Amino acid sequence: MNTTLKEKLLEKNLNVYFVATADKNYNIHKETIVPANPCCNCYSVAKAFTVTAVGILFDRGLITGDSLLTDILSKYIPNDIDPLWYKVTIHDLLTHKVGFGCGMLDIDVEDASKYPSIDYLKLVLNTKLTYTPGTKYQYTDAAYYLLSRVIYEVSKTELSDLLRPILMEIMKFKEFAWSTCPKGFSMGATGLYIRTEDMVKLGILYLNNGMWKETRIISKEWVDIVLSNGYEFSSLGDGWYGKGGMRGQMLMFNINTGKAIAYHSFEDGISYKLFL
């Protein structure tokens, strides 16, 4: 990264902490813009890591996009559950088309201590769905909390435990921690604390079709499924795909140029175009 971008960000008085740039050959450069604690909450960028964990289980033949949520979580289904829940698939969760009429479990802006129960799964499954699953987009952290619980039921391994050896042993993350619900399950949607120079590595992984150097983490098939279905990584144009998080977090990569960019900030409304 050159100093021109740093100067531009400082001139605009933008509260950007760190920017990491990388290429598909695993070359990573991080620059500090405004000094801050090195390990930051990436907020909704966490969802892209959950998508990757789902891909690991997809590659093991344990789950598909058509798998039904109620089949996987059968022992938790309330007797009086809304019948529409029986139509919810993993694809619906990944695309935020569960059928919710509003967001749920947004612990970043809500006071979770005031939730009526510490059993977040029960709270969600007792919700009456407003729309037929698969028909209406409603962005909500509840969808990715459900994926966290699905990952545990399918693999018998908690989400952060599933990813930890991959991220820390293979991909060499310096730090890694995930906020949990009161029952000890990773939130899945948010609360992932990592360094910027590590966050950009997920972009490198997707640029290399699921390979990290000599180790395959996810299949090329899953990478193609993610990008074609928009599983959190949205097309930004000109070959760029990206996933943002509240308060100015971003991970993006370009499949044409083999470049990846990540940044942490505390700056609402910042445009990713500043970094291109």
Side-chain angles (χ1 to χ4, degrees), residues 9-75:
L9 294 171
L10 290 174
E11 284 175 3
K12 292 180 177 294
N13 198 30
L14 293 173
N15 196 27
V16 176
Y17 302 148
F18 310 106
V19 179
T21 56
D23 59 40
K24 65 185 301 180
N25 295 319
Y26 309 97
N27 299 304
I28 299 171
H29 176 75
K30 185 186 86 168
E31 185 156 352
T32 299
I33 310 301
V34 176
N37 293 324
C39 194
C40 302
N41 189 347
C42 67
Y43 294 102
S44 282
V45 178
K47 293 180 177 73
F49 286 83
T50 300
V51 167
T52 304
V54 172
I56 292 169
L57 303 185
F58 171 85
D59 292 337
R60 294 178 185 176
L62 298 175
I63 197 172
T64 72
D66 294 328
S67 299
L68 291 170
L69 175 70
T70 50
D71 286 349
I72 297 171
L73 300 182
S74 58
K75 64 185 178 183

Side-chain angles (χ1 to χ4, degrees), residues 207-223:
L207 285 174
N208 284 289
N209 291 314
M211 291 290 295
W212 185 262
K213 299 183 179 178
E214 294 81 26
T215 304
R216 178 159 293 284
I217 307 299
I218 48 175
S219 64
K220 182 181 184 302
E221 180 183 6
W222 183 250
V223 172

Side-chain angles (χ1 to χ4, degrees), residues 44-209:
S44 282
V45 178
K47 293 180 177 73
F49 286 83
T50 300
V51 167
T52 304
V54 172
I56 292 169
L57 303 185
F58 171 85
D59 292 337
R60 294 178 185 176
L62 298 175
I63 197 172
T64 72
D66 294 328
S67 299
L68 291 170
L69 175 70
T70 50
D71 286 349
I72 297 171
L73 300 182
S74 58
K75 64 185 178 183
Y76 303 104
I77 303 303
N79 292 330
D80 58 348
I81 193 172
D82 183 342
L84 285 177
W85 278 104
Y86 289 101
K87 297 179 180 291
V88 176
T89 66
I90 299 305
H91 174 78
D92 295 332
L93 295 171
L94 288 163
T95 55
H96 297 277
K97 292 184 177 180
V98 179
F100 291 112
C102 61
M104 288 187 68
L105 296 187
D106 191 348
I107 64 169
D108 297 319
V109 298
E110 298 170 348
D111 184 349
S113 70
K114 294 182 179 179
Y115 289 167
S117 172
I118 64 169
D119 190 336
Y120 290 4
L121 183 58
K122 183 178 179 180
L123 282 176
V124 176
L125 293 179
N126 277 315
T127 301
K128 183 175 176 59
L129 297 179
T130 305
Y131 305 101
T132 301
T135 64
K136 182 73 172 180
Y137 177 85
Q138 172 61 59
Y139 190 85
T140 173
D141 286 0
Y144 274 69
Y145 176 71
L146 289 174
L147 284 170
S148 173
R149 299 300 297 265
V150 162
I151 287 166
Y152 176 76
E153 289 302 315
V154 169
S155 68
K156 301 307 176 188
T157 306
E158 198 275 323
L159 171 57
S160 60
D161 291 336
L162 179 71
L163 288 179
R164 185 171 293 107
I166 294 167
L167 299 182
M168 302 201 78
E169 296 175 27
I170 298 174
M171 298 176 70
K172 302 299 183 182
F173 277 37
K174 296 183 181 72
E175 295 183 76
F176 168 79
W178 212 319
S179 297
T180 68
C181 73
K183 297 287 187 179
F185 295 95
S186 298
M187 291 303 298
T190 188
L192 176 61
Y193 291 79
I194 51 178
R195 295 191 180 213
T196 315
E197 64 268 35
D198 289 332
M199 184 163 72
V200 80
K201 292 176 181 177
L202 192 68
I204 299 173
L205 180 69
Y206 279 83
L207 285 174
N208 284 289
N209 291 314

